Amino acid sequence: MAIQGGWAFCEKCYGLFYNGYEYKGKCPAGGDHKQPQTGMGYNYQLNHSIPGNQYSQPQWEFCVKCHGMFFNGYSGGHCPKGGKHERNEQAYHFVLKHDYPQLYSNEQPYWEFCTGCHGLFYNGFTGKGRCPGTPYAIRPGGDRVHMGSHGRQPNGYHFVLYVGDYISPPAYKLMTKCAWPPNPSKCPGY
Ligand SMILES: [Zn+2]
Ligand SMILES: [Zn+2]
Ligand SMILES: [Zn+2]
C-alpha cells in the first residue's frame, strides 16, 4: 500500500485538489483552488497503486490541467481549464474507499462523484460548490467562472477520505444529523 498526502478541499469549488505544488490549479469558481485555513483545512491522505475491491474504487486520477481529482473510468467529464480532465501517464492511480460499513474517527464521509464534471466533491454542505460542467462567464482578463454547482449520481458510491494529519481542526467530527451511511432525509448533502 502506498499513500500520498497533500490533498485538500477547495473552499471555492468544494472539489478535492492536490495542494503540494506552488501552483494550486484552476478553480471552476475563478482563480486558483484554495485550501481553507480552518474548518475543512485537512491534509487528506489517499491510497494509490493498490487494486480496488468491494469497498474501494480505482481509476481516480490527478488532472495535470486543473490539479483536481477526477474519475477516469468514463469518457467525458469537464476540466475548468477547458476540454476534458487529463492524467499524466506516469502519475499514480488513486483508489478511494467507499461505503465501508464502519466509519473511523480519522475518516471523513460525504465525498461524491459529480456527474457533471467527473470530479470528486464534498457533499456535506447545503451548497454544492462550482462545477466545471456548467455554463460559465468570462471575467476581464480571461478567467472562466462557472455558475452551476456539482451534482451527485443518485445511486453513486459514498466516498470516505482519510484525514491523516491536519492543519485544523484537530479531528473530524461526524455530523450527527447525517450519520453513516448518509441519511438522505436529514443530511443537507443528500
Ligand atoms: Zn476550487
Ligand atoms: Zn482538470
Ligand atoms: Zn462537478
Side-chain angles (χ1 to χ4, degrees):
M1 179 180 292
I3 292 178
Q4 184 186 50
W7 287 84
F9 166 79
C10 174
E11 66 182 13
K12 292 156 66 178
C13 69
Y14 292 13
L16 188 75
F17 73 102
Y18 185 65
N19 198 32
Y21 298 125
E22 194 175 337
Y23 173 57
K24 302 307 177 189
K26 170 78 182 89
C27 181
D32 301 344
H33 292 300
K34 187 166 187 283
Q35 182 188 42
Q37 294 307 297
T38 57
M40 290 285 287
Y42 298 102
N43 174 13
Y44 296 96
Q45 321 252 321
L46 309 183
N47 288 317
H48 63 82
S49 312
I50 55 170
N53 61 34
Q54 181 186 0
Y55 295 117
S56 63
Q57 185 180 46
Q59 292 191 274
W60 285 91
E61 308 282 351
F62 167 78
C63 174
V64 295
K65 291 157 63 180
C66 68
H67 290 199
M69 174 66 71
F70 74 102
F71 182 67
N72 199 31
Y74 304 126
S75 62
H78 291 278
C79 181
K81 281 266 202 183
K84 296 177 183 180
H85 294 295
E86 194 177 305
R87 69 176 301 269
N88 179 328
E89 287 307 317
Q90 311 301 323
Y92 295 143
H93 299 289
F94 293 94
V95 180
L96 302 187
K97 185 173 173 180
H98 63 84
D99 298 281
Y100 191 74
Q102 188 176 358
L103 194 66
Y104 297 93
S105 62
N106 54 10
E107 292 175 327
Q108 183 183 53
Y110 315 132
W111 288 87
E112 304 279 349
F113 167 76
C114 174
T115 56
C117 65
H118 294 191
L120 188 73
F121 76 101
Y122 183 72
N123 195 37
F125 297 130
T126 304
K128 305 303 174 195
R130 297 290 186 90
C131 178
T134 64
Y136 60 88
I138 306 271
R139 279 184 184 153
D143 191 21
R144 281 165 61 144
V145 180
H146 290 268
M147 299 300 161
S149 48
H150 296 294
R152 67 177 297 266
Q153 194 166 326
N155 296 311
Y157 293 142
H158 304 304
F159 292 95
V160 167
L161 298 187
Y162 177 61
V163 183
D165 54 17
Y166 49 84
I167 294 169
S168 68
Y172 178 74
K173 288 195 174 51
L174 186 64
M175 283 183 288
T176 49
K177 277 195 312 186
C178 288
W180 180 257
N183 181 339
S185 64
K186 294 186 176 166
C187 184
Y190 292 85

